Amino acid sequence: MEKEKKFILWFREITHKDVPLVGGKNASLGEMYQTLTKKGINIPNGFALTSYAYFYFLEKAGLKQKLKELFTNFDSRNIKQLQEVGKTIRRLILKAEFPEELKREIVKNYEKLSQIYKQKNVDVAVRSSATAEDLPTASFAGQQETYLNVQGEEELLKAVKKCIASLFTNRAIAYREEKGFGHLKIALSVGIQKMVRSDLASSGIMFTLDTETGFSNVVLINSIWGVGEMIVKGRITPDEFFVFKPALKKGYKSIIVKNLGRKTKKLIYGKKEGLKEMPVPPKLRLEFSLTDEEILTLAKWGCLIEEHYSKLANRWTPQDIEWAKDGKTGQLFIVQARPETIHAHKKGTIYEEYQIKTKKEPILKGIAIGDKIGEGKVKVIESIKKMSDFKKGDVLVTRMTDPDWVPVMKIASAIVTNEGSKTCHAAIVSRELGIPCIVGTQKATKILKTGQYVTVDCTQGLKGRVFLGKIPYKVKRYNLEKLPKPKTKIVVNIGAPEIAFKTSFLPVEGVGLAREEFIIAQKIKVHPLALYYYKQLKQRRINKLPLVRKVSQKEIQKLVKKIEEITIEHKDKREYFVKELAEGIGQIAAAFWPNEVIVRFSDFKTNEYAQLVGGNLFEPEEENPMIGWRGASRYYDPRFASAFGMECQAIKRVRDVFGLKNVSVMIPFCRTPEEGQGVIDLITKYGLKRGKDGVKIYVMCEIPSNVILADEFLKIFDGMSIGSNDLTQLTLGMDRDNAQIAHIGDERNEAVKRLISEVIKKCKGKKKYVGICGDAPSTFIEFARFLEKKKIDAMSLSPDAVIKTILKLAKKR
């Protein structure tokens, strides 16, 4: 019998060409089962009811004409009519009887699947798969229902009918109307697939790109304990992992980010069928729900799936994948894969910049989704029943959305939720709709009141902010293809890892200055020596520690408690520092790979280090920290050398474990060549030998001695990066932190320019790298022109200055 006339097709009979017969979801399962199981990817077996079976059911049950009548003069924008029509159709389907011959086929094939798995009534997932689903221009994911842990013939038949009815949920009807799909032309295929016992292990979602920016060189994996439905519901924060694809393909263990989630609940099998919610034991909450090997295995599978579908489509086709781990066998499985539809078709030539400046404090913070700004009147909606009160342009504020909320989400100017993570339903849909969204605020429905006018800001990386009132902002759009090519290489200054992927789309050729300070202050938060000596602090063995003042037992106790709270998932506190710093640097290096990323070792001053948790125990008070114990002088000092060692270990991990060989290092505030040699010796001791495996070590040129003794410095370093801020203050004999004389500190001063000209000349003469990473070229276009004229190798600019500087340099004077 021809495929088109069959009620049932097994996965082994299905290919990607069978979307009209079995829908996108089932066509993908069949395609992977046929082709990718041979490459080692585990896919649970199963079969699908075809579109022929669906239309046969409607015809025999007398439903076709009734549906046609209900959709005559139908207006999906009328929410009341939408609700009434949807409810009527679903009730008609659930009351209808299956034709006997179709019922027999379903039962016979279910028995066959049970025999394959050697179970009497095999536990299955019953999934809906619409025949227009997961097309390149539209994602029907989440529009229809899935039923899990279905066992027995009677329960299976009920679940199949519920799936068919779910083709006419309010959200699915509204979505088809919006996308222009005929309701009676689309069919629903039902996939019946062996359940993976993830209730005894873990499960989650995997994307073969960064969902926020569309950055293509990473795999993003979210993972929770138990069955994966809890992720989409947004009721818990999953573990999050980023794997860098190019290094993974070369055999590196390139897990560049591992963030522990807040996994307080999980879904497990119910006693007879379905799922029930259970609390996660406290110990498991502090453990990652995947091992490193499992993360890497999933990431490799994700790459294989992406490559397979990209080859079929003859273009890059990133994937949105569901996976599960079987707690009985320990095996990983892929249970779904569909095209990612939000970023795959965006043209990378347009760069959009939302700019907002305000001194106002936000009234609410959360996790930002996207990078836009929205504004409007707040509408707090606690229940889906109140949807009809919502007006176009309102800001939707609720506990959490699910697919039934899509009709109002489409007309919202912004969305704010109490719960959720970057892969919850609200986040996924808002990305697709291009609407700014902030999730995980915990208290949006309590803080925000209906009728308030608010501005919702998603431009600060992951830090979402809600401001009361209208905050002015600008939107600038640039066509990157039309930007002129600058004469001088343009690179970027960056400190915050969370903006790295977005920043990588700027027309830059790498990073001239990656600062560690932001990672240490914002992610690590604890002074490195407090972490290095944590055991001694906990055991009150402080006699031999490099403390700068007497400390009471009560103060130490408070400090130890604070460190434990911040580093809760790490027993080894030194490892916590190395991990967090390596991951922060790794994100930046991955974003700009294969271009060079120059990482400057920490350059906090004593007063800044003292602000970190425990910092006041280790940092002496200085009259003028700006020209005190900072930079190179710290690294070899016995009081700080152990902390510097941890920085070196982090860099080594980024290069040797993550495989990001594009990372070079830079030493700041190095007063003498002897100091420089001492630090290089230390770096070598920690396994980073200059010249070996492409390791480059640069020095900041920010002290007049760096210019005067440039020949000596260039004997031991691979080049110089001019720190014009410090070079200016030290040339002009001023403290740039002193507001009273701030007006004197101008890099355009002739004395400063002469020093810069001299160092460029010296570096060029020795064929060594010379760049600039101070703020001057970002601030003063005439200074940038001066550097261009002197033929400096690279100008490192702040991200917001890159495009405007390129445009200004191209203008005729």
Side-chain angles (χ1 to χ4, degrees), residues 779-799:
T779 310
F780 309 117
I781 192 59
E782 63 268 39
F783 192 81
R785 285 200 176 105
F786 154 73
L787 294 169
E788 188 179 65
K789 187 178 178 182
K790 292 295 177 182
K791 293 186 169 53
I792 197 166
D793 290 337
M795 281 187 263
S796 196
L797 308 174
S798 58

Side-chain angles (χ1 to χ4, degrees), residues 99-111:
E100 196 58 39
E101 55 275 32
L102 176 57
K103 185 176 174 180
R104 276 198 309 270
E105 279 290 299
I106 296 169
V107 170
K108 183 178 78 176
N109 284 279
Y110 174 64
E111 287 172 349

Side-chain angles (χ1 to χ4, degrees), residues 192-451:
I192 295 158
Q193 181 183 36
K194 170 69 176 81
M195 274 288 287
V196 177
R197 291 302 304 267
S198 59
D199 63 311
L200 303 174
S202 57
S203 59
I205 304 170
M206 170 165 59
F207 294 89
T208 60
L209 46 51
D210 172 44
T211 52
E212 293 309 303
T213 63
F215 180 69
S216 63
N217 268 347
V218 289
V219 174
L220 167 62
I221 300 170
N222 284 151
S223 175
I224 60 172
W225 297 117
V227 179
E229 303 302 291
M230 196 77 83
I231 288 183
V232 178
K233 289 179 180 175
R235 296 174 61 191
I236 54 174
T237 305
D239 295 335
E240 180 183 66
F241 312 106
F242 277 102
V243 182
F244 181 57
K245 289 182 194 171
L248 176 74
K249 291 173 184 179
K250 290 181 179 178
Y252 288 97
K253 295 181 178 180
S254 55
I255 307 168
I256 60 171
V257 174
K258 285 178 68 179
N259 290 330
L260 190 71
R262 191 167 43 85
K263 311 179 296 294
T264 53
K265 302 168 186 172
K266 66 175 179 175
L267 291 173
I268 64 168
Y269 273 21
K271 282 188 178 179
K272 291 184 178 177
E273 73 274 332
L275 304 170
K276 67 175 182 178
E277 191 178 294
M278 290 283 287
V280 172
K283 188 186 175 189
L284 275 185
R285 294 177 192 182
L286 298 179
E287 290 181 15
F288 285 110
S289 44
L290 284 172
T291 66
D292 283 4
E293 286 307 312
E294 288 166 344
I295 295 164
L296 294 168
T297 296
L298 284 173
K300 286 170 189 172
W301 288 1
C303 291
L304 285 171
I305 294 167
E306 180 185 78
E307 286 165 8
H308 179 77
Y309 282 110
S310 296
K311 193 174 180 182
L312 286 178
N314 206 24
R315 58 174 170 75
W316 179 51
T317 308
Q319 296 291 301
D320 170 354
I321 300 163
E322 290 180 30
W323 62 269
K325 179 183 174 183
D326 194 300
K328 284 190 169 181
T329 66
Q331 287 181 297
L332 292 166
F333 289 87
I334 299 299
V335 295
Q336 274 192 49
R338 62 180 74 91
E340 192 278 345
T341 57
I342 299 162
H343 295 286
H345 293 270
K346 280 187 180 177
K347 289 187 178 178
T349 57
I350 304 300
Y351 187 83
E352 209 170 52
E353 211 171 56
Y354 279 70
Q355 300 173 339
I356 186 169
K357 283 188 178 180
T358 180
K359 290 183 179 178
K360 277 186 81 170
E361 280 294 312
I363 57 169
L364 192 65
K365 295 179 182 178
I367 302 166
I369 305 300
D371 54 9
K372 295 182 179 178
I373 297 169
E375 57 179 298
K377 285 185 179 178
V378 167
K379 182 72 74 174
V380 179
I381 301 185
E382 298 278 7
S383 164
I384 195 72
K385 293 174 183 175
K386 302 284 186 182
M387 269 203 321
S388 54
D389 298 338
F390 196 83
K391 294 183 176 62
K392 186 175 182 179
D394 285 346
V395 174
L396 174 61
V397 178
T398 187
R399 184 185 67 79
M400 174 41 62
T401 67
D402 62 35
D404 288 324
W405 290 77
V406 171
V408 294
M409 293 173 79
K410 287 190 301 184
I411 58 173
S413 62
I415 299 162
V416 185
T417 69
N418 290 354
E419 298 176 1
S421 68
K422 291 197 298 180
T423 47
C424 69
H425 178 268
I428 292 166
V429 173
S430 63
R431 274 189 213 103
E432 181 174 343
L433 297 173
I435 295 170
C437 173
I438 298 176
V439 300
T441 64
Q442 298 183 21
K443 50 189 177 182
T445 54
K446 291 182 180 177
I447 300 290
L448 301 176
K449 309 296 178 191
T450 292

Side-chain angles (χ1 to χ4, degrees), residues 485-530:
K485 176 77 175 169
K487 293 176 185 176
T488 304
K489 184 164 86 168
I490 301 296
V491 289
V492 72
N493 295 333
I494 191 167
E498 54 262 39
I499 67 164
F501 293 161
K502 167 74 174 173
T503 307
S504 73
F505 290 97
L506 285 169
V508 295
E509 297 180 67
V511 176
L513 173 64
R515 302 181 183 93
E516 289 186 1
E517 291 79 38
F518 184 93
I519 302 166
I520 294 169
Q522 299 296 318
K523 281 173 69 85
I524 296 171
K525 299 178 182 177
V526 184
H527 193 285
L529 291 176

